[in-house]
Amino acid sequence: MNYQTSLIELSDKNDVRDKFLGALLDLMETKPYTEISIKEICCVAGLSRRTFYNNFTQKNDLLDHLAEDLVLGFHVTDDYSGIHHIFAYWYELRNIVSLLIENNLWDSISYKISKIYTPLLAERNWNNLLGNYVDNKDYFFSFIDAGISRLIYIWHADNFTKTPNELAGLVEQILDKTFLKKQS
């Protein structure tokens, strides 16, 4: 798959940083992240090492850039439908998710995404959802992030056979107050 092309939807196709990122993802199709060199990334991107170092200090900086692109893509497409949108977004990017999981990078990317995205959620009315617990929304975000991250691991292991709506429905059922009440 050509990730340089697929990342266009997430970011600016003329951004050299995205060309390096696309090259890294393309290389990860055939080689583990830990074995990929900056020289190889530059070669696949068709850009010089000087250009790389003008934009990044190390290969891991590409992962920070990926997290930023993923947040930007999610935020731009966020239709405020909540859980449904989250799973639909990750389903569309399941090839990237798979590369990250297979290279043991999903946890760090998920954490970076959470740190970038959480401040963007301030515009929502959290009092309606959290009520008296609104001062503890960081705990809420952490709980949701960890749960969704684990579900994505399982979804990947299951080859994404469940639909985004099925997973969203499950999460909504779990979060529904009636589920948490003691069953008679």
Side-chain angles (χ1 to χ4, degrees):
M1 172 173 246
N2 186 335
Y3 290 96
Q4 291 179 1
T5 302
S6 66
L7 284 171
I8 290 170
E9 295 174 13
L10 298 176
S11 56
D12 179 0
K13 67 180 179 182
N14 295 318
D15 184 354
V16 295
R17 294 164 49 93
D18 291 329
K19 290 179 183 174
F20 285 119
L21 180 55
L24 172 65
L25 294 171
D26 285 342
L27 286 163
M28 285 171 55
E29 280 281 320
T30 58
K31 194 172 189 178
Y33 173 80
T34 55
E35 295 177 13
I36 297 170
S37 70
I38 291 172
K39 180 179 180 181
E40 290 172 296
I41 295 167
C42 293
C43 182
V44 171
L47 298 165
S48 70
R49 287 174 63 95
R50 174 178 278 193
T51 302
F52 180 90
Y53 287 111
N54 284 340
N55 290 277
F56 303 105
T57 57
Q58 59 184 341
K59 180 174 72 171
N60 284 342
D61 292 345
L62 286 165
L63 300 178
D64 294 335
H65 184 62
L66 175 59
E68 292 166 5
D69 276 359
L70 292 169
V71 167
L72 175 64
F74 183 81
H75 192 62
V76 167
T77 63
D78 193 356
D79 60 8
Y80 291 84
S81 65
I83 300 296
H84 288 273
H85 179 75
I86 292 169
F87 286 108
Y89 182 74
W90 289 119
Y91 184 78
E92 288 299 315
L93 297 172
R94 63 191 175 277
N95 291 328
I96 291 174
V97 169
S98 293
L99 283 179
L100 294 172
I101 289 173
E102 291 161 7
N103 282 275
N104 298 315
L105 299 170
W106 176 250
D107 287 336
S108 67
I109 291 291
S110 178
Y111 180 76
K112 290 171 196 236
I113 289 169
S114 179
K115 289 297 180 195
I116 297 168
Y117 197 73
T118 299
L120 300 175
L121 296 172
E123 64 202 43
R124 299 188 184 187
N125 184 355
W126 292 105
N127 287 327
N128 286 344
L129 178 65
L130 300 176
N132 294 337
Y133 297 99
V134 74
D135 292 338
N136 295 311
K137 67 182 170 192
D138 288 342
Y139 289 96
F140 173 78
F141 294 143
S142 181
F143 172 78
I144 296 298
D145 179 52
I148 289 173
S149 182
R150 290 298 123 209
L151 278 177
I152 290 173
Y153 262 108
I154 294 167
W155 200 17
H156 162 76
D158 194 30
N159 294 313
F160 297 93
T161 56
K162 302 286 185 208
T163 68
N165 285 340
E166 287 175 300
L167 289 177
L170 173 64
V171 170
E172 288 172 350
Q173 181 66 35
I174 292 168
L175 295 176
D176 185 351
K177 291 179 183 176
T178 60
F179 179 83
L180 299 175
K181 290 181 183 175
K182 187 175 181 178
Q183 301 295 316
S184 302

